Amino acid sequence: MAFVTRQLVRSMSSAAASASAKKITIKHVTVIGGGLMGAGIAQVAAATGHTVVLVDQTEDILAKSRKGIEDSLRKVAKKKFAENPKAADEFVAKTLSSISSSTDAAAVVHSTDLVVEAIVENLKVKKEFFQRLDKFAAEDTIFASNTSSLQITSIANATTRQDRFAGLHFFNPVPVMKLVEVIKTPMTSQKTFESLMDFSRNLGKHPVSCKDTPGFIVNRLLVPYLLEAVRLYERGDASKEDIDVAMKLGAGYPMGPFELLDYVGLDTTKFILDGWHEMDSKNPLFQPSPSLSKLVGEKKMGKKSGEGFYKYK
Ligand code: CAA
Ligand code: NAD
C-alpha cells in the first residue's frame, strides 16, 4: 500500500512538473503604454481573439489611442472584407469591444497571462515600472518589454520573475509589419520563450529570435543606417529630400531614412542613440547627432507631434 501511495505521489509530482513545464496559451494581454506601439499591439492582439487591457497615464491619452486603433482597424477591415461592409463594421466593433482600458496598471494585472510594456525608452523608468508591477501580477504572468535597444536582462533583474521575462519587439506600424523579435535572456525559461513564440504566431506575425544584444537584429542594423543618413545630410553632401528619394528608388526601401526617422519618433531614436553612446562612447556609429538633438530639444518628435525633419498636417 505504502509502495502504491509512493508511486502515486511520484507520478502525480512528475505530472505536476511536466504541467508546469508546459507552454502557456496566452489569452489575456495587458499592454502598458497606448502610444504608437502599445496601441498597435493592443489592436493586433484584440483582432486575433485575445482579451486586452490597454494602460496609459491619462484618460485623454487612452481616448486618443482608442481613436487611432479604430482608424487603423477600419483600414484593415476595408481590405479584409472588401466585398462585405457589414462584416467589416462587425469586425471593427467586435475588436474594439475586446479592448478595455485603465490608468492603473497595478489594479488590472492580477489575472493576466502576459504584460507587454511599450512605455518610454528609458532603462530607469522601465525598471521602476516592472519592479512595482511584479508585486501585483499573478505568479504565472509573463512580463515582456517592447524595448528597441535596452538590455532585457537589466530590466528583468528589477523583478523576481527573471524566468518569466523576455523581450517581445514589434515593428511600426504594428498592424502592417509582420516581424516580431522574441528575446530570451540567459534566465528566460524555455516555457516562457515558447509561449511567446506561439503568441507571436497567433497574432499572425513571424517571430525570429536573437540573443539579448543591443538593438537585437533589426535596430542594430537599421539605427546606424538612419544615423549615417543624418550625418550625410549634416555634412551637406545631399539634401534630406534627395537622400530619401535615393534610398526609395535606388535601394527599394518603402520609406527614405528621414521619413522613417519621423515615423519612428525622433525622441525614441535619440533615446536609443544616447543609450548606446553611454554604453560604448568610442563607437563612431553611436555618436550623438546635432540635428537630431536640436529637433528633439524643440519638441519636434516627428510625425506624432506634427513636425520632425518634415512637417505634417
Ligand atoms: N494600420 C493599418 N493599416 C495600415 C496602417 C496602419 N497604421 N498604415 C498603413 N496601413 C496599410 C494601408 O491601409 C495600406 O493598405 P492597402 O495596401 O490595402 O492599401 C498599406 O498599409 C500601405 O499603406 P499606404 O498606402 O498608406 O502607404 P505605404 O505604401 O507607404 O505603406 C508603410 C506604409 C507600411 C508604413 C510603408 O511605408 C513601410 O513599410 N514603411 C517602413 C516601415 C518600417 O520600416 N518600420 C520599421 C520601423 S523600425 C521599428 O519599428 C523598430 C524600432 O524599435 C524603432
Ligand atoms: P510613444 O511615445 O508613442 O508612447 C509611449 C506611451 O507610453 C505614451 O502614451 C505615454 O503616455 C505612455 N507611458 C509612459 N509611461 C507610462 C507608464 N508608467 N504607465 C503607462 N503608460 C506610460 O512611444 P512608442 O513609439 O510607442 O515607443 C514605446 C516603446 O516601444 C519604446 O520602448 C520604444 O523604444 C519601443 N519601440 C518603438 C518603435 C517605434 O517605431 N516608435 C518600434 C518598436 C519599439
Side-chain angles (χ1 to χ4, degrees):
M1 188 65 187
F3 171 77
V4 173
T5 311
R6 267 201 311 275
Q7 285 293 89
L8 193 64
V9 168
R10 225 176 268 149
S11 73
M12 276 168 66
S13 54
S14 79
S18 74
S20 72
K22 269 193 198 144
K23 298 182 274 187
I24 292 176
T25 303
I26 293 164
K27 294 190 183 117
H28 187 289
V29 186
T30 303
V31 180
I32 315 292
L36 282 177
M37 297 307 291
I41 297 165
Q43 173 186 330
V44 171
T48 50
H50 302 84
T51 306
V52 179
V53 183
L54 181 60
V55 179
D56 209 306
Q57 292 167 318
T58 67
E59 291 296 345
D60 280 358
I61 300 175
L62 285 166
K64 202 174 151 212
S65 306
R66 207 171 174 80
K67 170 80 176 64
I69 292 173
E70 187 171 347
D71 291 348
S72 173
L73 276 172
R74 293 215 179 276
K75 285 187 196 168
V76 175
K78 204 173 159 192
K79 192 161 33 173
K80 200 172 157 109
F81 304 99
E83 309 296 324
N84 190 345
K86 190 167 170 273
D89 287 346
E90 280 168 10
F91 167 76
V92 173
K94 184 167 182 283
T95 306
L96 286 173
S97 73
S98 300
I99 307 175
S100 59
S101 60
S102 172
T103 54
D104 185 358
V108 294
V109 290
H110 45 79
S111 54
T112 196
D113 299 316
L114 171 68
V115 173
V116 185
E117 165 274 316
I119 63 176
V120 64
E121 186 71 350
N122 178 299
L123 183 60
K124 189 167 173 277
V125 176
K126 288 191 195 283
K127 281 172 82 166
E128 281 172 8
F129 173 78
F130 276 118
Q131 186 174 35
R132 177 165 182 268
L133 208 68
D134 197 26
K135 300 182 183 75
F136 295 94
E139 188 69 18
D140 281 349
T141 302
I142 296 174
F143 282 2
S145 175
N146 181 52
T147 177
S148 299
S149 63
L150 301 168
Q151 205 194 24
I152 301 296
T153 306
S154 307
I155 311 174
N157 280 342
T159 72
T160 58
R161 59 181 80 214
Q162 287 99 334
D163 59 323
R164 283 148 286 149
F165 203 114
L168 200 59
H169 186 218
F170 292 84
F171 294 83
N172 182 19
V174 183
V176 179
M177 307 305 276
K178 290 283 172 223
L179 188 72
V180 179
E181 291 172 327
V182 183
I183 312 304
K184 188 176 187 287
T185 77
M187 296 101 71
T188 309
S189 70
Q190 189 61 21
K191 170 181 157 179
T192 298
F193 175 70
E194 282 171 18
S195 303
L196 292 175
M197 293 292 279
D198 282 356
F199 172 64
S200 305
R201 289 186 198 102
N202 290 340
L203 296 180
K205 304 291 181 198
H206 187 111
V208 294
S209 65
C210 178
K211 285 188 182 162
D212 187 16
T213 51
F216 317 128
I217 302 172
V218 173
N219 283 343
R220 184 62 184 81
L221 301 175
L222 182 65
V223 176
Y225 149 72
L226 294 175
L227 268 300
E228 277 301 283
V230 179
R231 290 183 193 108
L232 192 73
Y233 160 70
E234 283 171 347
R235 288 195 300 271
D237 294 345
S239 69
K240 54 183 190 292
E241 291 80 5
D242 277 356
I243 298 172
D244 276 349
V245 169
M247 293 314 290
K248 287 190 283 188
L249 301 188
Y253 285 27
M255 283 177 170
F258 292 93
E259 290 167 334
L260 187 54
L261 280 157
D262 277 357
Y263 197 69
V264 163
L266 302 186
D267 49 345
T268 299
T269 310
K270 184 167 157 36
F271 284 132
I272 296 172
L273 191 64
D274 289 349
W276 287 355
H277 181 62
E278 211 178 295
M279 181 189 73
D280 181 2
S281 63
K282 292 211 167 60
N283 191 327
L285 296 174
F286 302 161
Q287 296 308 306
S289 149
S291 23
L292 188 63
S293 301
K294 181 172 180 287
L295 288 168
V296 173
E298 293 166 354
K299 304 259 177 282
K300 293 173 182 166
M301 307 302 188
K303 200 170 174 212
K304 66 181 171 187
S305 73
E307 187 170 351
F309 284 101
Y310 297 113
K311 282 191 177 153
Y312 301 85
K313 280 189 192 138

